[in-house]
Amino acid sequence: MSTNIIDAALLAKMFLAGAKNLESKKEWINELNVFPVPDGDTGTNMTLTIMSAAREVAALDKISMETLSKAVSSGSLRGARGNSGVILSQLFRGFCKAIRDQKEIDVEMLSVAFQKAVETAYKAVMKPKEGTILTVARGGADRALELLEEKPDISMEEFLSGVIQYSDQVLERTPEMLPVLKEAGVVDSGGQGLMQILKGAFDAFCGKEVDYTIETAGAGQSTEKKAQTAAKIRFGYCTEFIIMLEKEYNAQTEREFKSYLETIGDSIVVVSDDDIVKVHVHTNDPGLAIQKALTYGSLTKMKIDNMREEHQEKLIREADKAKAAQQEAREKQMPRKDVGFIAVTIGDGIGGIFRDLGADCLIEGGQTMNPSTEDMLNAIDQVNADTIFIFPNNKNIILAANQAQSMTKDKKIVVIPTKTVPQGITALINYVPEKSPEENETVMLDEISRVKTGQLTYAVRDTHIDDKEIHEGDIMGVGDHGILAVGKEIAATALDTVKEMMDDEAELISVYYGEEIGEEEAQGLADQLAQLYPDCDVEVNQGGQPIYYYIISVE
């Protein structure tokens, strides 16, 4: 590639190519999940995050660094899912902050953008871990600086190639940084996802044939509207002017003029009146209409409007009005209150428990499909309260909740970092209306620290982790910090899992059985637990969750 600069149009192509490359590799990236559980979701989360932004980019009528940056940053922030998706969105956010005011990007500017991307992403994570997507991104940014120092006149192609090659080397070293990766025999899945984006983008830069088509089905409302608008409006510019006639203009001339306008547009109106001709046409090239008109005389009262833009603005206004009306209707039905609650749930039974405990809004998500930041924002919008507590109930959803918190200005959002459903239930049970939000937050954090959780599922591949040999199809008890038990039978493995969680202070064992477990079978397990631990109360609840046979807590 001969160019040493990247303009907005090329950068947009590179971004879309990176998104498509990640999408094509998402299942492979999912399989890099450290734990061999059937809900490995890094590839899916990163793909959903970047495709949310890609749809915004694909819908742009005019591409500039500013519009492209806004589409990528906003689309990825709102569409971010899971820890990997949120970190990816922050990388994009930082990158876009650096380039949005540029017309073109050279090697030096690209290096600055890489630094800003890494800086922004690290700030978004409270306790960054090395050996993750963050490490891979930082390695690439550091290499960018080194390449500039080593060779100030380096070409863009050599620069990008060098950054990618070094980032790949950092990715290969991630198992040495995180023992859990080394034991499982995999590289970091988030880092691998980032590499697929970079490699796809580089292919587009080098001119390789890439399919840039982005499906808009399932996109956000604004993107769908934009796509529909583009399809409906064939000619985008409403062009009007008056010709001050300076040459002969008769009926034949007018017919020829109208015929010409029909070749470049529609909605044609040509009205002659003494020495002037009033013209109206919808066209994609107003200049052609103007050039033709100038052959008859001089022009005045010229007016050109972008109808696609006007229609989009109208749709946005209508959508905003509809949203405001819906919000007003909700507020009339639900009087404003001091405190509200949002919980992420999996399964009808667990959802019912949160409803019974006072949750105002449930977000269906959990392990199999992490909700996005936009899902969180929509839920916040629905709850008419001054202060809203959010219970993510999954460690991979906490960052998305925090991102929604930072994007909400009209309500106080308190994210209780519950990593499991039992922690969320415990937190909500301990809410005391008479206490302030700050006091309740302190109590909830203390109480969830006492909850141990084990989740029973099956292994999707052979691996060795936490000093345990695991084979595909084995039943595993996954605890808060690793694999607690492995066996061939569900009930026996469940008992082994609880045994690993028990301590002298345990008072309550709660069993939530999933959609594949019957009530009688679950009660049989509870009876065994009651016999083994007579000093503990044992509760059985229908959870209805997929993938996990049992979710069991000890507190």
Side-chain angles (χ1 to χ4, degrees):
M1 190 79 181
S2 58
T3 183
N4 277 330
I5 57 95
I6 298 174
D7 61 15
L10 177 55
L11 186 61
K13 286 185 176 181
M14 292 170 68
F15 179 77
L16 294 178
K20 295 285 283 190
N21 195 47
L22 174 64
E23 184 182 39
S24 70
K25 309 284 179 52
K26 67 179 180 183
E27 292 305 329
W28 170 54
I29 293 168
N30 282 342
E31 291 173 4
L32 294 176
N33 193 27
V34 170
F35 293 124
V37 293
D39 62 359
D41 53 9
T42 300
T44 299
N45 283 336
M46 293 183 74
T47 297
L48 290 171
T49 299
I50 198 172
M51 293 307 287
S52 174
R55 285 190 290 269
E56 294 293 326
V57 172
L60 289 174
D61 286 327
K62 292 182 178 179
I63 296 178
S64 65
M65 285 297 181
E66 183 179 2
T67 60
L68 178 61
S69 296
K70 183 177 180 181
V72 171
S73 182
S74 176
S76 60
L77 280 174
R78 301 184 74 87
R81 296 174 187 266
N83 292 344
S84 56
V86 172
I87 292 171
L88 181 63
S89 74
Q90 291 295 325
L91 287 169
F92 288 146
R93 179 170 173 249
F95 185 92
C96 290
K97 273 185 179 180
I99 64 152
R100 64 187 175 193
D101 296 327
Q102 307 296 313
K103 289 187 177 180
E104 296 175 334
I105 303 173
D106 58 13
V107 172
E108 188 174 350
M109 187 65 236
L110 198 55
S111 178
V112 171
F114 286 159
Q115 307 304 317
K116 189 65 176 177
V118 171
E119 176 189 330
T120 304
Y122 266 89
K123 284 181 179 178
V125 181
M126 189 171 295
K127 294 180 180 179
K129 280 186 178 180
E130 294 309 321
T132 66
I133 181 176
L134 289 170
T135 309
V136 176
R138 192 181 65 192
D142 290 346
R143 183 57 180 156
L145 286 176
E146 291 174 359
L147 288 168
L148 277 177
E149 291 176 2
E150 294 169 4
K151 192 175 181 181
D153 60 345
I154 189 170
S155 70
M156 181 67 79
E157 183 172 1
E158 185 181 355
F159 175 78
L160 290 172
S161 177
V163 168
I164 289 172
Q165 287 177 16
Y166 186 78
S167 299
D168 245 343
Q169 293 171 18
V170 175
L171 175 65
E172 291 303 316
R173 293 200 299 268
T174 54
E176 303 301 322
M177 304 176 204
L178 274 180
V180 69
L181 294 175
K182 187 172 186 178
E183 189 177 8
V186 295
V187 297
D188 179 67
S189 54
Q192 186 64 269
L194 179 61
M195 291 311 306
Q196 299 315 307
I197 295 170
L198 293 175
K199 289 176 180 178
F202 186 60
D203 283 346
F205 175 82
C206 293
K208 291 186 180 179
E209 189 172 336
V210 177
D211 177 13
Y212 298 108
T213 306
I214 300 294
E215 296 292 335
T216 57
Q221 183 73 8
S222 62
T223 303
E224 288 183 358
K225 291 293 186 183
K226 288 178 182 178
Q228 292 168 7
T229 299
K232 289 178 181 178
I233 300 178
R234 183 182 174 194
F235 297 105
Y237 296 96
C238 176
T239 306
E240 298 178 77
F241 50 80
I242 293 176
I243 306 173
M244 309 294 289
L245 293 172
E246 297 171 356
K247 295 182 180 180
E248 183 181 356
Y249 184 90
N250 53 34
Q252 177 64 26
T253 308
E254 184 168 304
R255 282 196 295 273
E256 291 174 354
F257 185 37
K258 286 182 177 178
S259 296
Y260 174 77
L261 293 177
E262 286 173 352
T263 67
I264 64 169
D266 63 9
S267 300
I268 297 163
V269 178
V270 177
V271 180
S272 304
D273 184 15
D274 295 333
D275 295 332
I276 65 172
V277 179
K278 295 180 180 179
V279 180
H280 174 279
V281 60
H282 291 174
T283 178
N284 284 329
D285 194 337
L288 294 176
I290 290 170
Q291 288 174 20
K292 185 68 174 177
L294 284 170
T295 64
Y296 305 123
S298 58
L299 306 185
T300 186
K301 304 291 185 184
M302 298 175 66
K303 183 171 178 286
I304 300 173
D305 295 316
N306 186 329
M307 295 188 297
R308 292 189 179 101
E309 190 174 275
E310 288 180 348
H311 195 60
Q312 287 169 10
E313 289 174 355
K314 180 183 176 184
L315 289 171
I316 290 170
R317 287 195 299 271
E318 290 175 352
D320 287 344
K321 286 181 181 178
K323 187 176 179 180
Q326 291 172 358
Q327 181 67 14
E328 185 178 351
R330 281 196 296 267
E331 289 179 358
K332 286 180 179 178
Q333 295 173 357
M334 186 191 301
R336 187 79 168 187
K337 56 182 184 176
D338 293 333
V339 179
F341 305 97
I342 296 171
V344 179
T345 63
I346 45 171
D348 294 339
I350 288 171
I353 292 170
F354 276 105
R355 283 285 189 200
D356 291 343
L357 291 173
D360 300 279
C361 183
L362 303 180
I363 302 175
E364 193 69 30
Q367 293 293 96
T368 52
M369 176 56 73
N370 295 159
S372 67
T373 298
E374 179 139 35
D375 292 333
M376 295 282 182
L377 291 170
N378 290 337
I380 289 169
D381 213 27
Q382 291 178 36
V383 180
N384 189 22
D386 297 323
T387 299
I388 300 174
F389 286 85
I390 300 180
F391 307 105
N393 301 331
N394 185 307
K395 65 181 180 181
N396 206 32
I397 300 174
I398 295 171
L399 275 183
N402 288 339
Q403 191 151 276
Q405 177 189 48
S406 68
M407 296 170 70
T408 302
K409 306 303 179 186
D410 60 336
K411 299 172 182 176
K412 178 181 174 63
I413 307 300
V414 181
V415 177
I416 304 299
T418 51
K419 296 180 179 179
T420 63
V421 164
Q423 282 190 345
I425 291 171
T426 294
L428 194 47
I429 286 174
N430 282 279
Y431 173 74
V432 179
E434 292 75 23
K435 292 184 177 180
S436 68
E438 293 75 17
E439 290 172 320
N440 272 297
E441 181 180 10
T442 298
V443 171
M444 289 179 182
L445 291 174
D446 182 55
E447 291 297 330
I448 66 174
S449 69
R450 306 174 194 276
V451 180
K452 299 177 183 177
T453 307
Q455 304 183 80
L456 276 291
T457 188
Y458 58 92
V460 294
R461 68 172 187 273
D462 295 349
T463 190
H464 183 89
I465 190 169
D466 293 335
D467 295 323
K468 293 178 174 61
E469 197 69 35
I470 300 172
H471 300 284
E472 183 178 346
D474 282 352
I475 306 301
M476 301 180 299
V478 184
D480 296 321
H481 304 291
I483 306 294
L484 298 177
V486 179
K488 300 297 182 184
E489 296 180 357
I490 296 173
T493 308
L495 293 174
D496 290 341
T497 299
V498 173
K499 181 180 179 180
E500 293 297 317
M501 294 192 290
M502 291 300 294
D503 57 37
D504 294 338
E505 297 180 0
E507 298 176 349
L508 174 65
I509 301 173
S510 299
V511 178
Y512 304 87
Y513 60 94
E515 61 182 7
E516 296 185 40
I517 300 294
E519 182 179 358
E520 186 176 340
E521 186 179 352
Q523 189 58 56
L525 174 62
D527 291 342
Q528 287 181 280
L529 290 170
Q531 290 178 3
L532 288 169
Y533 308 104
D535 294 333
C536 288
D537 293 328
V538 180
E539 294 181 350
V540 180
N541 302 278
Q542 188 267 330
Q545 69 272 7
I547 293 183
Y548 288 85
Y549 304 118
Y550 290 106
I551 297 175
I552 305 174
S553 65
V554 173
E555 53 189 300

